[in-house]
Amino acid sequence: MQIEVLPLSNKQMKKKVTDESQLGFGKLFTDRMLLVEWTAGKGWHSARIKPYEPFVMDPATAVLHYAQEIFEGLKAYKWEDGRIALFRPEMNARRFNQSAARLCMPEVPEELFLDGIDMLVDLEKDWIPTAPETSLYIRPAMIAMDPVLGVKPSDHYYFFVILSPVGAYYAAGFNPVSILVEDVFVRSVAGGTGDAKTGGNYASSLKAGLEAKKNGYDQVLWLDGRERRYIEEVGAMNMFFAYGNHIVTAPLTGSILSGITRESVLRLAIELGCTVEERLIDVNELFSDLKAGKVTEAFGSGTAAVITPVGKLGYKEDSVQIGGGAVGNITQKLYDTLTGIQTGKIEDRYGWVRIVDPH
Ligand SMILES: *Cc1c(COP(=O)(O)O)cnc(C)c1O
């Protein structure tokens, strides 16, 4: 599909941040965005890269009421040689369409998803920060646009992509976070939408997140929705535990989001000399293993922070430190290897990196 590039006036060009340590995460956006529309009977049309600006929406627009929405998250890195790299964007395209199918939304042709991002990122390449830990965060999303209050799939959708230059996800740096096992609220259940990247999952997670913070913890460790017994995810990341060189994570049983970082960790860990296992992790067993010192490291994985070390876990009235509260060896090695591949400093032996074509 032809993607039209609309002109950008001087007035629509924003000032770039010169001090990259001030970027934060997802607070400012570049000058342009991609917008493509889908209409029943017509399919995808009107693909254009246009100035970044607010949408004009009818207050009855379906997405505002019933949350028929999906999104993705990936990053572009500017390498020292000037090339721009994306990390496994084909996986995001595929997952976007799996989410679309779950939410009764039209699939976006993979080529449109990838070419649209390529073109937009290339046009906005001056916005990609280069300081350590920084990158250009890419946010594709799709929303239901019918201005109708009846509950049904829309006949009109927007697929759009916005870009945000970002700094390190955690202002405090690569330090262990504390997590609290949530035994009342659940993020999702098998058969629900936990394995789709959709906004509603996040809206329903906010309450538990706030309560964890009130209790002095950084994030929530979610249990399964049926028995409140098996570990699922941490915040919006996949969760791993290391028993020495043996790494375990929860299997994809339908309520867990299939992370691209998760999949990459499972492959890299083997090359780092670890064994990996996807199995149900009983929170009571885990807690006694932690207390017995058998669990040596714990970390979360996701695009935004890549790897997040976990130094403390709370469950009911009890809490336990992990790895003396310091960053473990495997955790550090995985972080260094993944970010090394993403930034072109470590050879990509997996075909994970996609260089953005200059347009
Ligand atoms: C996006 C997301 C992840 C991480 O996926 P990545 O592809 O690794 O970024 C994990 N859990 C949830 C709930 C998510 O939304």
Side-chain angles (χ1 to χ4, degrees):
M1 183 183 304
Q2 194 68 30
I3 301 175
E4 192 186 353
V5 179
L6 303 183
L8 182 74
S9 71
N10 280 339
K11 226 179 71 201
Q12 286 162 320
M13 286 174 70
K14 300 171 207 158
K15 238 178 97 184
K16 296 190 179 61
V17 168
T18 43
D19 180 359
E20 292 182 350
S21 69
Q22 296 303 308
L23 283 171
F25 194 90
K27 292 190 293 193
L28 55 130
F29 300 92
T30 71
D31 295 326
R32 297 176 175 91
M33 62 188 288
L34 171 74
L35 179 60
V36 193
E37 294 179 55
W38 186 92
T39 309
K42 193 172 169 190
W44 290 106
H45 62 91
S46 312
R48 68 253 197 212
I49 289 175
K50 58 186 282 292
Y52 184 102
E53 61 192 354
F55 292 132
V56 175
M57 278 184 169
D58 191 294
T61 301
V63 64
L64 301 177
H65 300 271
Y66 307 126
Q68 199 191 2
E69 185 266 2
I70 57 168
F71 67 96
E72 269 303 324
L74 64 160
K75 286 170 166 178
Y77 302 85
K78 194 178 271 174
W79 288 4
E80 259 163 24
D81 63 8
R83 285 189 295 169
I84 298 159
L86 306 175
F87 186 72
R88 311 188 75 180
E90 311 80 14
M91 300 275 282
N92 296 95
R94 243 169 274 155
R95 188 171 64 189
F96 194 67
N97 284 335
Q98 285 159 8
S99 301
R102 180 65 182 84
L103 276 283
C104 300
M105 302 172 102
E107 292 193 0
V108 175
E110 224 169 272
E111 202 185 289
L112 173 62
F113 186 97
L114 295 172
D115 286 353
I117 288 175
D118 239 44
M119 244 176 112
L120 181 64
V121 168
D122 183 57
L123 277 165
E124 299 288 72
K125 58 176 174 281
D126 291 345
W127 280 94
I128 308 177
T130 52
E133 321 285 312
T134 65
S135 59
L136 186 69
Y137 186 78
I138 304 168
R139 169 52 58 87
M142 196 194 315
I143 53 176
M145 288 299 290
D146 277 6
V148 179
L149 291 183
V151 178
K152 63 165 191 62
S154 266
D155 287 330
H156 185 199
Y157 295 92
Y158 277 2
F159 163 54
F160 62 96
V161 181
I162 55 176
L163 307 175
S164 174
V166 297
Y169 191 74
Y170 301 110
F174 193 63
N175 293 315
V177 299
S178 58
I179 60 178
L180 177 64
V181 176
E182 172 57 60
D183 56 358
V184 178
F185 301 117
V186 297
R187 193 189 79 90
S188 71
V189 291
T193 55
D195 56 355
K197 228 170 160 64
T198 179
N201 292 339
Y202 281 70
S204 61
S205 78
L206 295 174
K207 194 170 172 68
L210 274 188
E211 293 197 357
K213 288 227 164 66
K214 260 192 238 156
N215 286 304
Y217 288 86
D218 298 309
Q219 299 196 29
V220 175
L221 184 64
W222 299 105
L223 298 179
D224 76 282
R226 200 187 278 167
E227 296 184 61
R228 311 280 194 283
R229 178 171 165 200
Y230 299 109
I231 306 287
E232 299 221 315
E233 299 197 53
V234 56
M237 293 182 288
N238 296 114
M239 185 72 218
F240 292 82
F241 297 95
Y243 288 73
N245 280 336
H246 187 61
I247 293 181
V248 297
T249 192
L252 303 174
T253 46
S255 48
I256 291 178
L257 201 281
S258 170
I260 296 163
T261 320
R262 174 187 182 277
E263 210 264 342
S264 309
V265 162
L266 287 174
R267 281 175 65 182
L268 274 182
I270 293 170
E271 306 241 341
L272 297 178
C274 298
T275 48
V276 299
E277 187 183 6
E278 295 171 67
R279 66 159 168 88
L280 293 176
I281 304 165
D282 184 310
V283 64
N284 296 300
E285 269 171 43
L286 175 80
F287 215 70
S288 44
D289 287 350
L290 276 162
K291 288 199 153 164
K294 290 189 202 161
V295 179
T296 41
E297 302 184 33
F299 60 88
S301 76
T303 295
V306 188
I307 299 288
T308 298
V310 173
K312 181 185 163 189
L313 188 132
Y315 182 38
K316 300 191 194 287
E317 304 304 304
D318 213 351
S319 80
V320 59
Q321 237 195 17
I322 309 168
V327 179
N329 281 333
I330 297 170
T331 306
Q332 184 73 52
K333 191 88 194 173
L334 283 167
Y335 177 80
D336 291 343
T337 310
L338 271 172
T339 53
I341 292 171
Q342 290 164 343
T343 54
K345 295 192 175 88
I346 291 178
E347 189 200 347
D348 168 25
R349 291 187 284 130
Y350 313 90
W352 285 345
V353 155
R354 177 183 158 116
I355 300 296
V356 170
D357 276 334
H359 282 82

